[in-house]
Amino acid sequence: MYIDLEGVNLCREGSISILTLLVDTPIHDRRVCLVDVHTLGAQAFNTAGVLAGTLKDILQDETIPKGFFDVRNDSDALFAHFGVALQGVEDIQLMESATRKTTASRKFLNSLTKCIENNLLTSLGGKGLASWKLAKKKGERLFKAEHGGSYDVFNQRPIPEDISSYCIGDVQYLPELRDRFCTQRAYGWRDLVGEESKKRVAMSQRSDYQPHGPDRAIAPWSKEQNTLLDQWECVPPPCDDFDESDDDWYDDSPTSCRDIISSWD
């Protein structure tokens, strides 16, 4: 499953308005649900379903993978307001960063828009990408101050259509991004990204967590982690076993048709 949250100043100091949940399993067709946290409050997380499990149980189940794009403030808000301690998180923003070829190229994190532009343009096509970006832009106009909007629009009920489309857009292509980044990756690579995702969740639950600031755009990789990522991304040049400049190579076999025929006489 893939999750994104929206709210008014989304963090421990603000509130959660909408939880967007994309369910993508081999058994069921892909579907997206918008959970009205603003209206339901704690009931959104504590109400048991037909199998007696709650949304909180699912979010805290380490065996159920959950894809987020930058989990930090989502985790902060869930933990502070509803006591939800996320488990099983796969941070797709970190995955994208870890696929880059060099330490220098990993210095800064990319936005969701940049990740989709850089990695899904071929599969989406120009029209598909433009349609997705338009839906995002329409939503942003309703809540960004520079467009005369307000984040209070996330608490408006019924949820405006452009806000619904905006929320869906935040999770719509996370499965494709995850598949692209994880394909043919070593277990060590996955473990490294998984551990760093756990660190993000743990950091967001600390009392000194800062939900805003320019340093949030800097990738978290240590020198040792970057060295490992460089090694995993390095593809050695093909070895030319027949390089005639190699003085150690010597061929004493026949070199012409006449030689080959003669060798069988």
Side-chain angles (χ1 to χ4, degrees), residues 47-228:
T47 301
V50 293
L51 299 179
T54 67
L55 180 56
K56 184 175 182 179
D57 293 333
I58 294 171
L59 294 174
Q60 296 187 150
D61 190 334
E62 190 174 8
T63 66
I64 301 176
K66 302 158 199 75
F68 285 79
F69 191 92
D70 191 355
V71 71
R72 291 173 290 185
N73 279 8
D74 290 8
S75 173
D76 176 32
L78 286 169
F79 186 70
H81 298 301
F82 300 104
V84 176
L86 288 172
Q87 296 285 338
V89 170
E90 298 180 340
D91 197 315
I92 295 169
Q93 185 184 50
L94 293 178
M95 288 183 179
E96 187 276 336
S97 175
T99 61
R100 299 185 214 165
K101 300 295 183 183
T102 64
T103 293
S105 68
R106 289 184 217 106
K107 182 176 181 180
F108 296 104
L109 298 166
N110 274 340
S111 66
L112 176 61
T113 298
K114 184 63 68 175
C115 288
I116 290 176
E117 288 176 339
N118 290 348
N119 296 280
L120 299 182
L121 178 58
T122 301
S123 58
L124 294 181
K127 289 185 178 180
L129 178 61
S131 176
W132 178 83
K133 292 176 75 171
L134 178 60
K136 296 291 290 179
K137 190 172 183 179
K138 285 182 177 180
E140 289 174 353
R141 286 174 176 169
L142 295 178
F143 65 81
K144 286 196 171 181
E146 57 264 36
H147 299 300
S150 168
Y151 280 88
D152 289 330
V153 72
F154 287 113
N155 291 336
Q156 184 178 325
R157 298 296 180 269
I159 300 174
E161 183 177 348
D162 285 343
I163 290 298
S164 294
S165 298
Y166 176 88
C167 292
I168 292 170
D170 274 344
V171 298
Q172 185 174 0
Y173 294 119
L174 293 186
E176 285 80 6
L177 287 174
R178 181 192 179 278
D179 289 346
R180 182 175 181 85
F181 300 147
C182 285
T183 300
Q184 297 180 340
R185 295 289 170 181
Y187 287 114
W189 183 94
R190 296 190 182 200
D191 289 343
L192 188 151
V193 173
E195 286 302 312
E196 205 58 44
S197 296
K198 288 182 180 179
K199 288 180 184 178
R200 277 191 156 186
V201 172
M203 177 183 64
S204 73
Q205 297 172 356
R206 289 170 40 177
S207 60
D208 59 347
Y209 172 70
Q210 296 297 322
H212 309 291
D215 60 323
R216 292 170 57 83
I218 300 175
W221 313 117
S222 66
K223 181 178 179 180
E224 292 75 17
Q225 288 174 325
N226 269 316
T227 298
L228 283 173

